[in-house]
Amino acid sequence: MGKVVSVSDIMDVNDQDALVKMVERARNNSIGVKDTVRNAKRFYVDMREIKKLLSVVIVSCALTLGAVGTIQVSQVIQEKDTIKTEDVTQEIASLLYANGPENLHGAHYSSIVSKNTIYNNSNDRDNFYYNHEGIAKDLLKLDGDMFDYAFCSVCTDMGKNINNLVGVGGRSNIDSVIFYLGLYSSIEGRANDYIRNSFSGVDNLNDYLVLNNYLDKDGEPSIEEFKKSCDRRAFKVFDSIQKDSKGANIA
Amino acid sequence: MNVDVSVIDNKSYIEIDKISKNGKTYVYLINSIDKTDFIIRKLVALNGDIHYKGLDNDKEFDLALMYFTKKHESILSSDDNKE
């Protein structure tokens, strides 16, 4: 787990001279230097730390290029310290697929759905299907709140395709994932009690939402209420991810 | 999140971003201990290895900075960030 640094550990972000000096130092250390072999190793680092570093560098670069204008630098940094749903989803994917393959651009899978999306033709990004069994197996590697969050993200990431009736036995995409969750949950050792109980007697999304009390004001099952519940737990999930990660402290 | 960390001149650097433009890939690195130590390199393939190559001149450095700032300009121009 990476050490969490505060912005003040980096520099005073309102000190524009210091920010500009940072870029000038970068200039001196980047031009005409000797070649070195890239010996990169992968480490797990708190995303908030990376975002703070990114923000400082971006603001420094923008100041150097004269592009900042009236922006309040400290506000920029503070904004990047919030946790968004997609951040947590990416953290979970990063945890699951630490050694997973990269795509042609070197990017790692950003979500469980992206890992389990199969394209029929590499030139046609609209022609794809989901590996429901793969999604279920990946979800079963997670615990408690992290499982809930990841399952909610799967629902979100499927978007308008969530109810397409293309799955096993004519089920919808999400109900096919639930089918496999139920199947593998019933196999000893493949799921913990939390997941086994969450999907006991459940074979479709509506049943899951009702069983877990994700209902709107009219008492109807609601994905939105499921999302709201997960968003309220975002920080808790984020901390769980860091506790579960095996990365080294690089700071 | 998982990041790539490399040792350059006996110092550990975190790769915070990569940008490919016009056949060149620029990588933006920050020292994992001294967070004010920021450098830019080009990635080049040589004899089966990937190398960090220094930038050629001030013009290329400014260009690499511009790519980086342009890529992340939404952070700078967002109305949410203005008073």
Side-chain angles (χ1 to χ4, degrees), chain B residues 12-68:
Chain B
S12 175
Y13 284 89
I14 305 168
E15 292 187 352
I16 58 168
D17 202 5
K18 275 184 219 164
I19 298 175
S20 295
K21 290 280 183 187
N22 300 324
K24 294 176 182 171
T25 298
Y26 295 100
V27 56
Y28 302 78
L29 306 112
I30 280 200
N31 188 318
S32 64
I33 295 170
D34 176 3
K35 304 292 195 305
T36 65
D37 180 9
F38 160 61
I39 58 175
I40 305 175
R41 295 286 187 272
K42 284 180 287 194
L43 290 182
V44 294
L46 196 64
N47 300 326
D49 287 321
I50 302 294
H51 287 243
Y52 290 120
K53 183 174 171 54
L55 306 188
D56 295 338
N57 48 43
D58 281 330
K59 185 179 175 185
E60 186 174 33
F61 180 83
D62 289 338
L63 200 61
L65 272 194
M66 193 193 70
Y67 292 148
F68 185 77

Side-chain angles (χ1 to χ4, degrees), chain A residues 48 51 55 75-82 84, chain B residues 75:
Chain A
R48 287 169 291 190
K51 289 203 163 184
S55 298
Q75 280 186 314
V76 173
I77 303 298
Q78 201 165 13
E79 170 71 15
K80 297 311 290 180
D81 198 25
T82 58
K84 296 176 180 171
Chain B
I75 293 173

